[in-house]
Amino acid sequence: HVQLVESGGGSVQSGGSMTLSCAASGGTHFTYCMGYFRGAPGKGPEGIAVINLFGREMYADSVKGRFTISRDSAKNILYLEMNALKLEDTAMYYCAAIPYSCSRVPPSGAVQYWGQGTQVTVS
């Protein structure tokens, strides 16, 4: 059973930066495609960035060029560096584990394990 514990999040001004972290434990999490999804109030979570088994990064168009996903395999930690934040980036952000090596940002239905979520508010 994979456990994902998120940290980071909070409030930031438009144009600012923030980094989210996700510590993974249990199971064979290192074989999973890992990523971040986000959901605004009243909307289901959408994938924004994933990194697959081979270290390939994939991004949604809405964050491409501004967000960077990375993983420290030795520490089993996933990071999401967010730059040039916009008002529309305000959402609950979720760390996610997908049980295959994804070749694109998958839909939320592909996620097997979710983190608890962390709120990011841009003002």
Side-chain angles (χ1 to χ4, degrees), residues 1-4 23-30 32 34 97 112-114:
H1 180 71
V2 175
Q3 291 182 311
L4 304 173
S25 62
T28 55
H29 48 270
F30 57 87
Y32 284 66
M34 301 291 296
Q112 184 171 9
Y113 296 105
W114 293 95

Side-chain angles (χ1 to χ4, degrees), residues 4-121:
L4 304 173
V5 179
E6 302 179 52
S7 58
S11 298
V12 64
Q13 289 190 333
S14 180
S17 299
M18 181 180 289
T19 298
L20 305 181
S21 301
C22 173
S25 62
T28 55
H29 48 270
F30 57 87
T31 65
Y32 284 66
C33 175
M34 301 291 296
Y36 276 93
F37 286 63
R38 69 183 181 188
K43 294 184 179 181
E46 60 172 357
I48 56 169
V50 293
I51 184 167
N52 73 5
L53 177 65
F54 306 103
R56 180 188 171 196
E57 304 160 32
M58 288 151 277
Y59 300 93
D61 289 343
S62 58
V63 305
K64 196 174 295 182
R66 299 187 298 122
F67 290 12
T68 301
I69 191 168
S70 61
R71 64 196 299 178
D72 184 329
S73 297
K75 297 181 179 179
N76 299 323
I77 298 177
L78 184 72
Y79 299 98
L80 183 69
E81 180 183 349
M82 304 182 292
N83 297 308
L85 282 160
K86 304 176 181 179
L87 297 178
E88 52 264 41
D89 293 319
T90 295
M92 185 71 77
Y93 284 68
Y94 299 92
C95 179
I98 299 97
Y100 54 82
S101 187
C102 35
S103 57
R104 61 180 180 88
V105 178
S108 59
V111 175
Q112 184 171 9
Y113 296 105
W114 293 95
Q116 81 277 13
T118 186
Q119 178 68 36
V120 173
T121 301

